Amino acid sequence: MNTDTALSILFALAHPTRLEAFRLLVQHEPEGLSTGELVDASGLTQSTFSTHLAVLAKAGLVKSEKQGRQQIQRADIDTLRELMLFLAKDCCQGRAELCEPLLAELACC
């Protein structure tokens, strides 16, 4: 990942509605949520939420898949992982013991 890509992703997440929508999608991996469920959770109108969803999709954070009559939205976990690695790559100047608490917090149970 390069700096421009990371900035694009961080910009997409720098809005409360988009951040909450992305976090909700991460919580619902791998099944995802329908666009309607996301709209309902946001409390916004469909058109307003669609604008936010488009920003997340353009940044590569959300993937959409048609299932029957619904659009299912999923968090792109690979993009999230790449961003996290980009941000922490030079963490602790090579001193692994300093990064261990961070890694322990991120470990899935």
Side-chain angles (χ1 to χ4, degrees), residues 7-22:
L7 287 171
S8 172
I9 294 167
L10 291 169
F11 170 80
L13 294 172
H15 187 281
T17 297
R18 294 190 295 263
L19 179 60
E20 287 305 312
F22 183 71

Side-chain angles (χ1 to χ4, degrees), residues 103-109:
L103 297 174
E105 287 281 331
L106 292 173
C108 294
C109 300

Side-chain angles (χ1 to χ4, degrees), residues 19-41:
L19 179 60
E20 287 305 312
F22 183 71
R23 293 184 73 211
L24 188 59
L25 288 173
V26 168
Q27 293 168 12
H28 285 85
E29 273 301 302
E31 64 276 353
L33 292 170
S34 71
T35 304
E37 290 170 314
L38 286 169
V39 169
D40 290 345

Side-chain angles (χ1 to χ4, degrees), residues 1 9 13 21-23 25-26 29-30 32 56-57 59-64 73-84:
M1 175 171 293
I9 294 167
L13 294 172
F22 183 71
R23 293 184 73 211
L25 288 173
V26 168
E29 273 301 302
L56 291 170
L61 290 165
V62 175
K63 299 182 282 188
S64 181
Q73 308 298 329
R74 290 189 174 84
D76 191 323
I77 299 301
D78 289 335
T79 299
L80 175 60
R81 184 184 74 251
E82 288 175 25
L83 176 65
M84 292 170 69

